Amino acid sequence: MRRDSAPYNGTARRGEATPEGSPSIAAAEDVTRRSAVAEEQAFLDVATARRDRLAEHLRVELSADTRDPVEAARQRMLRQQYEELRRAQDGLVFGRLDGLDGTVRHVGRIGLRDDREDGEPLLVDWRAAAARPFYTATAVDPQGQARRRHIRTTGAVVVGVDDEPLDGTVSAELVGEGALLAALDQRRTGRMSTAISTLQREQDDIIRADATGPLIVQGGPGTGKTVVALHRVAYLLFARREMADQAVLVLGPSPRFLEYIAQVLPALGETAVVSATCDTLLPEIRVGRDESRQLAEIKGRALWQPALENYVASLLPRPRELKLRWEGEFYVLPAPTVAQSLASAVRGRPYHRARAVFAEQLHHLLAEAVVEQRETLLNEMEEGFEDILARFDRDLARDRHPGRAASGSDVDGLLSEEEIDDLRSRIAGSASIARFVEAWWPTLDAETLLRALLTDTTLLARFAPRLSREEIAAVAAEPAPWASSDIPLLDVLADLLGEVEAPQPQGEFVADRARRQRGWVYGHVVIDEAQELSEMQWHMLLRRCPSRSITAVGDIDQAEAAHRHRSWADAVRAVLGDRWTAAALTICYRTPREVMALTEPVLRRAGSHNAPPRAVRSAGIAPWERTVTPAELAGAAVEAVRQLRQRWRGGTVGVIAPADRVGELLAVLSDVPVLTATQSKGLEWDATLLVDPQGIAAEPRGWNGLYVALTRCTQELGQLILTPPG
């Protein structure tokens, strides 16, 4: 907490009107602005120097070699701190809070303490509780603050400040409106950037929300769903350090989307994060084909979870009498004994782990049978059976090791505890016993099992009786290789089978280990575009986070997947029941009012009962349309893209078209992305060219897709309308 700056004096307010023809007032305001910039530049210089000193100190410490495990763990922690400092070079300081009590706090990307003995905070981390008023204080609820200042920087240079009084004299709808609108008006680069300096109150509320159960966030286009999800990851890893030991899984809808957001979390200093899609959660499995929407919907239903559980249960060995051969003799394990051991081994365990437990029990049971049979022979020998005596002597000779001292069995024929332990050890290491276990309880493979099930109509009817005959026929008719909807089914089987014992991989960071292990349990899971998940994909994620510490963001009105849900309750009921919390983002920051005005009738055609989010900015550019024939389409698209790129030089342009038009357009447009509505989900460009919107609307769930396509631009939307053929 700092008191070394002058308290707020009401100057440098942004957005106030000045009397016409008052050059003295304008000059005074210019002086005030320049003074504020100089003041913040001086602070930024101090903070940057402190950051540089700390980074250099860590760099020197990290240069030392170490082989000690404890020191190696410390080095990993120091390396993470060093990376956090290194990445904080840009945007180190972006805000300031002036308290009513005269205190001044600067808010930044990371926290820094000054180098004085009292160790007072020089810079408050944006995730710290002390920084929260920067995002949530208002003129109505100032939370002890007199002013909020947004500091705009380029590299290590302050280029502007925007002051927002919180004393009730001005009531703004947006937090830091000037800084926010300036960020929204910047050219897009094709990569998402951090938004820690311009987060709004409803966004911050979700970022800092409790993480003890599923939180599902509904947000329309441009409301910052992805920004909120990623900054929530950074906040949780800061506020709940134990999550860093387990890592956080960030699930996106496509590899293109993951590439788009790739630098956000590293820029926020977070490394304990694994990014994936549902299709990449099984490290060794690759999707090799597309499939029909009908089949994707069938295989996405929650009914497959119990179906596959019953399928694997049917493959467990059935209890029966077991006859094993050991050193030339046969030993019988009675069926009741086997049944008891089998039930004990299976209880709550995956298939292969249960087999390992049973094998261990089998070794003990066989050793007991050998000992019991030996004792029986001894008793019979004592009753005068000479043939049994001769057989017993042979057994003694065989079991006695050369050079071994006389033991209990040498004296009275009974095995000592040491000899019984040795017997168990030899049984456990016996190749013949291992072959017996493998034959009776074989090693299974998830891919082989799933292929066997999905190609056998009899098995499907037995284990998935809720499927109709037509649905069973559709499933069984699909060829290899694997489709996207097969991945959750393979994951169920892999989980039910469990791992065949293998060494656990080790990595320098927890994310490395988590990424390699299918069965890794994460501290938290964040899902973007969650409305696209099938019920079986939800099951797949719950296995990775049994604590249900999940944040799912999406827009139910943008759902394009084959699944039949039209509300969040429908989407998650089969897996989560009613044990989840809802939240909403209601303000559209990205898409301008001029474009959002087109969306309401599209939403109605999509069957939605939701209102589109409220846009808070205008681009001043009306959406435009051009009508072309199919023969003119390619040339018109090239010309439209040329004009858009010229108008938005330094920014980005994207083209969205129906799936059957993408190939034609890619042939003539090599320097801009040409995507379907589904592929464009989560992306944004300065300008969007929407080709054949009627064609998009005619696709399955096409009105939802058209809603997506209309809302990808931050500035300008153009549409090429195709005239009907003939």
Side-chain angles (χ1 to χ4, degrees):
M1 187 179 297
R2 301 177 60 246
R3 296 176 180 267
D4 53 356
S5 296
Y8 171 59
N9 59 14
T11 62
R13 289 180 179 170
R14 191 180 189 278
E16 294 183 349
T18 59
E20 189 175 349
S22 302
S24 60
I25 294 178
E29 287 183 343
D30 184 59
V31 170
T32 300
R33 278 192 295 269
R34 280 198 262 175
S35 174
V37 168
E39 180 185 15
E40 299 308 336
Q41 183 66 60
F43 178 82
L44 179 59
D45 292 343
V46 171
T48 300
R50 177 62 174 157
R51 185 203 70 87
D52 291 345
R53 288 195 300 274
L54 290 172
E56 177 60 20
H57 175 73
L58 289 174
R59 189 190 65 78
V60 171
E61 284 207 50
L62 289 169
S63 64
D65 292 332
T66 178
R67 295 184 180 179
D68 179 77
V70 175
E71 183 61 24
R74 178 176 175 273
Q75 290 277 71
R76 285 195 294 272
M77 181 186 67
L78 294 179
R79 185 172 292 109
Q80 184 167 344
Q81 293 174 357
Y82 174 75
E83 288 298 317
E84 187 176 61
L85 289 167
R86 185 181 65 81
R87 291 189 176 106
Q89 206 158 10
D90 292 327
L92 176 63
V93 181
F94 57 77
R96 169 173 151 171
L97 288 168
D98 290 12
L100 291 168
D101 59 359
T103 60
V104 174
R105 292 187 181 92
H106 277 87
V107 179
R109 188 179 294 273
I110 60 173
L112 292 174
R113 292 191 175 275
D114 60 31
D115 49 9
R116 295 178 297 185
E117 288 187 7
D118 57 10
E120 284 291 310
L122 176 70
L123 183 64
V124 177
D125 192 299
W126 70 274
R127 297 162 289 190
R132 190 167 195 192
F134 183 76
Y135 302 105
T136 59
T138 65
V140 176
D141 178 24
Q143 300 174 29
Q145 308 304 315
R147 177 181 66 177
R148 171 172 40 230
R149 170 175 286 176
H150 283 262
I151 302 164
R152 288 179 279 122
T153 62
T154 299
V157 178
V158 177
V159 297
V161 298
D162 296 290
D163 284 344
E164 188 179 354
L166 299 170
D167 57 4
T169 58
V170 177
S171 182
E173 179 182 28
L174 301 175
V175 172
E177 180 176 1
L180 173 63
L181 295 181
L184 293 172
D185 284 336
Q186 288 178 352
R187 295 289 190 267
R188 267 37 193 177
T189 64
R191 292 290 186 92
M192 177 175 281
S193 58
T194 65
I196 50 177
S197 62
T198 56
L199 292 171
Q200 300 298 296
R201 179 165 188 158
E202 71 172 10
Q203 295 174 325
D204 188 74
D205 286 344
I206 292 170
I207 287 169
R208 298 174 193 261
D210 184 66
T212 56
L215 175 67
I216 297 180
V217 182
Q218 162 64 26
T223 54
K225 299 182 293 296
T226 301
V227 165
V228 166
L230 297 179
H231 287 70
R232 179 159 168 77
V233 172
Y235 169 75
L236 290 174
L237 287 171
F238 173 86
R240 297 180 57 177
R241 296 293 186 183
E242 71 277 8
M243 282 189 181
D245 296 331
Q246 296 175 275
V248 171
L249 174 64
V250 174
L251 195 82
S254 67
R256 181 185 289 271
F257 176 81
L258 295 181
E259 180 182 353
Y260 174 61
I261 67 171
Q263 81 287 359
V264 175
L265 287 169
L268 294 172
E270 301 304 342
T271 58
V273 178
V274 174
S275 297
T277 68
C278 282
D279 288 354
T280 63
L281 281 177
L282 295 182
E284 305 302 322
I285 306 297
R286 294 291 177 268
V287 171
R289 67 178 171 89
D290 295 326
E291 65 186 348
S292 68
R293 291 176 63 82
Q294 176 200 17
L295 198 61
E297 189 278 324
I298 293 172
K299 291 199 288 189
R301 298 177 196 170
L303 65 87
W304 289 94
Q305 182 70 33
L308 292 169
E309 289 173 359
N310 292 334
Y311 179 40
V312 171
S314 74
L315 302 172
L316 291 168
R318 294 296 176 257
R320 63 176 177 83
E321 179 182 276
L322 296 182
K323 188 175 183 181
L324 297 96
R325 183 168 181 168
W326 176 250
E327 296 188 338
E329 300 292 338
F330 286 99
Y331 299 90
V332 175
L333 302 183
T337 301
V338 173
Q340 183 179 6
S341 181
L342 186 62
S344 172
V346 168
R347 189 179 300 122
R349 294 185 178 93
Y351 177 95
H352 290 123
R353 178 59 190 149
R355 185 183 70 165
V357 172
F358 178 82
E360 186 175 341
Q361 294 178 357
L362 183 70
H363 301 154
H364 285 273
L365 291 173
L366 178 56
E368 289 175 2
V370 171
V371 171
E372 183 178 346
Q373 186 161 315
R374 180 184 297 273
E375 291 176 350
T376 300
L377 290 173
L378 281 172
N379 290 334
E380 291 177 349
M381 180 190 68
E382 290 174 356
E383 294 175 6
F385 292 99
E386 296 299 327
D387 56 332
I388 299 299
L389 177 59
R391 186 175 179 183
F392 179 72
D393 288 339
R394 289 196 302 272
D395 286 345
L396 283 180
R398 182 170 58 237
D399 287 341
R400 186 179 299 118
H401 295 288
R404 189 178 65 182
S407 63
S409 63
D410 295 325
V411 176
D412 58 14
L414 297 176
L415 293 179
S416 67
E417 286 299 322
E418 180 183 350
E419 289 172 315
I420 293 174
D421 288 341
D422 178 66
L423 174 62
R424 290 191 190 117
S425 177
R426 287 188 290 121
I427 290 173
S430 167
S432 63
I433 298 298
R435 286 193 297 271
F436 176 88
V437 173
E438 176 64 29
W440 190 62
W441 195 328
T443 301
L444 298 179
D445 171 70
E447 292 189 75
T448 303
L449 281 185
L450 188 59
R451 289 195 199 284
L453 176 64
L454 296 184
T455 56
D456 189 322
T457 56
T458 302
L459 286 177
L460 286 170
R462 175 184 173 191
F463 293 109
R466 290 163 59 188
L467 294 179
S468 68
R469 292 176 60 184
E470 294 75 18
E471 289 169 338
I472 288 174
V475 170
E478 285 294 317
W482 299 121
S484 181
S485 66
D486 294 317
I487 301 300
L489 308 187
L490 286 167
D491 191 61
V492 177
L493 288 174
D495 185 67
L496 293 171
L497 293 178
E499 305 293 338
V500 178
E501 292 187 15
Q504 295 297 320
Q506 296 296 316
E508 184 175 11
F509 293 109
V510 63
D512 298 324
R513 301 196 299 275
R515 194 175 288 109
R516 295 189 191 108
Q517 297 184 45
R518 184 208 61 81
W520 187 269
V521 173
Y522 290 90
H524 192 77
V525 172
V526 167
I527 311 163
D528 206 332
E529 303 294 349
Q531 75 277 357
E532 304 299 340
L533 295 188
S534 70
E535 293 168 345
M536 289 306 297
Q537 287 171 329
W538 275 104
H539 271 300
M540 184 162 59
L541 294 176
L542 279 185
R543 277 190 289 278
R544 285 157 176 79
C545 191
S547 68
R548 298 191 170 208
S549 181
I550 294 171
T551 301
V553 303
D555 181 3
I556 203 68
D557 293 322
Q558 294 186 54
E560 293 183 82
H563 324 305
R564 298 171 178 172
H565 50 256
R566 295 287 183 179
S567 70
W568 284 113
D570 290 341
V572 303
R573 183 179 293 114
V575 181
L576 299 181
D578 58 0
R579 296 170 56 194
W580 55 279
T581 302
L585 294 167
T586 62
I587 301 173
C588 175
Y589 308 101
R590 177 189 66 214
T591 311
R593 292 190 190 99
E594 295 87 347
V595 175
M596 288 304 296
L598 303 176
T599 61
E600 189 159 2
V602 174
L603 276 182
R604 297 296 163 261
R605 296 295 295 272
S608 171
H609 299 289
N610 298 323
R614 181 168 50 89
V616 295
R617 57 184 284 271
S618 170
I621 305 171
W624 52 265
E625 296 180 358
R626 293 175 191 161
T627 301
V628 298
T629 66
E632 297 169 332
L633 175 60
V638 170
E639 178 59 20
V641 167
R642 185 191 67 78
Q643 293 178 7
L644 289 172
R645 294 189 69 187
Q646 186 174 10
R647 282 197 290 275
W648 300 103
R649 192 180 303 276
T652 58
V653 175
V655 178
I656 305 175
D660 60 2
R661 297 280 179 189
V662 168
E664 173 187 1
L665 294 169
L666 281 173
V668 295
L669 296 171
S670 59
D671 50 0
V672 294
V674 180
L675 307 172
T676 66
T678 300
Q679 292 168 337
S680 73
K681 194 180 296 292
L683 306 179
E684 62 179 32
W685 303 281
D686 293 279
T688 301
L689 179 65
L690 181 54
V691 175
D692 189 14
Q694 298 95 328
I696 292 176
E699 294 177 326
R701 296 195 77 165
W703 291 104
N704 301 82
L706 184 56
Y707 181 54
V708 172
L710 285 169
T711 55
R712 296 305 96 197
C713 71
T714 65
Q715 303 292 345
E716 182 176 355
L717 172 68
Q719 300 185 68
L720 296 182
I721 310 298
L722 289 189
T723 59

